[in-house]
Amino acid sequence: MKVLRFCSLVFLISLLIGCFVTNSWASSTWPKKRGKLCWELNNNQTGLVGTRTLQITNVGNNHYSLHGRLTTKEGKVMPLVGSAEIDGNNVLMILTTAGGNGTDTMYSNALSVILDKSTLNGTHQLISHNYANGVINQTYTTGTETLVSCQ
């Protein structure tokens, strides 16, 4: 009888510890339904870019809607919209942003991101188009994504 009580107590304690560890781990992973996550972006050519904040909404079948902003290291805010898919051990994201001054300058960016599902860290590729004074410049850069706590 004592052995049964002891085993039951050990099982109950293990179950409670497991629930605590699972909840703390789940708080830093990809949202199941809806959530907010942030990344620090570093460009391989220029260094720190800024911080991306995304509101992530599960729309079903491992497909997610992404809405948020990029705050550059200079403090400029750029709106972002995109989507994500869970593919095995990866989270694949596509994000776009655009803007301008309303007269003779405009930019548009297309960003492809691959994150490791367990850490949510990864890499990105960016194609930028900048239009100013009748000239369009295109650039391609790569960089890293590091999950950070949202401020």
Side-chain angles (χ1 to χ4, degrees):
M1 191 68 162
K2 288 183 181 182
V3 172
L4 183 59
R5 285 184 189 171
F6 177 74
C7 289
S8 297
L9 181 62
V10 168
F11 175 77
L12 183 60
I13 291 171
S14 298
L15 185 64
L16 291 173
I17 289 172
C19 288
F20 175 77
V21 170
T22 301
N23 285 341
S24 65
W25 175 78
S27 67
S28 65
T29 61
W30 194 256
K32 300 276 187 261
K33 293 185 180 186
R34 179 174 288 181
K36 183 168 98 169
L37 293 174
C38 298
W39 289 267
E40 182 177 273
L41 311 180
N42 278 286
N43 183 289
N44 290 336
Q45 289 76 24
T46 62
L48 178 66
V49 173
T51 303
R52 180 188 315 115
T53 303
L54 290 178
Q55 182 68 35
I56 301 162
T57 304
N58 185 343
V59 294
N61 296 325
N62 288 325
H63 177 72
Y64 298 83
S65 174
L66 310 174
H67 295 87
R69 68 180 176 273
L70 170 66
T71 306
T72 67
K73 64 182 179 183
E74 297 83 16
K76 181 179 179 182
V77 176
M78 300 164 56
L80 296 169
V81 65
S83 65
E85 299 286 331
I86 304 242
D87 181 30
N89 292 327
N90 293 318
V91 177
L92 310 175
M93 297 191 309
I94 297 173
L95 295 162
T96 59
T97 186
N101 69 3
T103 56
D104 61 352
T105 64
M106 182 181 170
Y107 67 87
S108 66
N109 299 313
L111 184 68
S112 172
V113 180
I114 300 175
L115 302 173
D116 179 280
K117 188 178 169 189
S118 64
T119 64
L120 296 182
N121 295 326
T123 60
H124 66 255
Q125 297 177 314
L126 173 72
I127 294 179
S128 297
H129 294 96
N130 296 295
Y131 173 83
N133 302 319
V135 177
I136 298 175
N137 292 314
Q138 176 178 300
T139 57
Y140 169 81
T141 58
T142 61
T144 58
E145 307 268 326
T146 306
L147 185 68
V148 296
S149 63
C150 297
Q151 303 292 340

